[in-house]
Amino acid sequence: MPKSVYVLNGPNLNMLGQREPEIYGSESLDDIANRTKKHLKTLGFDCEFRQTNSEAELVNWIQEAGRDGAGLIINAAAYSHTSVAVRDALSAVAVPIIEVHLSNIFTREPFRHHSHVSAVAKGVICGLGAHGYLLAADALKELIS
Ligand code: DHK
């Protein structure tokens, strides 16, 4: 039975396609989910692709990914910069974690330059738009195999 990779998305990413497309691109989150699921399937994984605007729900899903997943791709969005709870949940997870951001957070406002997620991720991909999710899937394949 294929193992699942969890792909967890934080606040406002449900607005992709409509939200600041010059920064986040014109694809919707559904488009990204479909592409990511398809790519993970070619790599031999099932995919749990989810989005929430709630910090508590994100923490619960990170814990679930640690129990039931083979790996975790996370775009914690604004919670990357603010949430010690998200970082602590990630620290407790044994499966490999790849952090993704659509935009290049280092070329944006200074408050985006620090992510609490980065220190507990195996790797960070940012600035490559939706393609970053596919690159994260490739990285997990290497790390899990
Ligand atoms: C998404 C967000 O919503 C922002 O809060 C982050 C991230 C960047 C992204 O680029 O995917 O600062």
Side-chain angles (χ1 to χ4, degrees):
M1 202 171 108
K3 294 177 180 175
S4 277
V5 165
Y6 278 66
V7 185
L8 301 183
N9 295 279
N12 299 304
L13 292 173
N14 56 313
M15 298 299 289
L16 286 181
Q18 303 162 52
R19 172 194 183 207
E20 298 176 279
E22 66 288 358
I23 295 175
Y24 296 109
S26 55
E27 275 184 277
S28 69
L29 193 63
D30 277 350
D31 295 334
I32 297 174
N34 289 335
R35 285 218 278 152
T36 306
K37 284 179 190 171
K38 205 168 148 193
H39 190 59
L40 278 164
K41 199 169 179 188
T42 68
L43 298 174
F45 295 109
D46 284 338
C47 177
E48 278 293 328
F49 195 105
R50 301 182 190 169
Q51 187 277 331
T52 181
N53 293 326
S54 152
E55 186 177 23
E57 193 161 43
L58 190 56
V59 166
N60 287 336
W61 288 349
I62 291 166
Q63 292 177 2
E64 182 185 322
R67 282 192 307 271
D68 302 338
L72 172 56
I73 296 168
I74 183 161
N75 182 350
Y79 290 140
S80 314
H81 316 299
T82 62
S83 177
V84 175
V86 166
R87 184 215 150 110
D88 283 353
L90 291 167
S91 298
V93 162
V95 296
I97 299 164
I98 308 292
E99 178 181 16
V100 171
H101 297 284
L102 295 154
S103 64
N104 183 346
I105 56 175
F106 301 103
T107 60
R108 301 183 62 195
E109 304 94 324
F111 68 84
R112 296 185 202 274
H113 295 182
H114 178 263
S115 164
H116 291 289
V117 173
S118 304
V120 291
K122 276 276 182 200
V124 181
I125 297 167
C126 81
L128 301 176
H131 190 58
Y133 286 77
L134 309 186
L135 295 172
D138 289 338
L140 278 183
K141 175 70 177 173
E142 288 297 314
L143 289 165
I144 294 166
S145 301

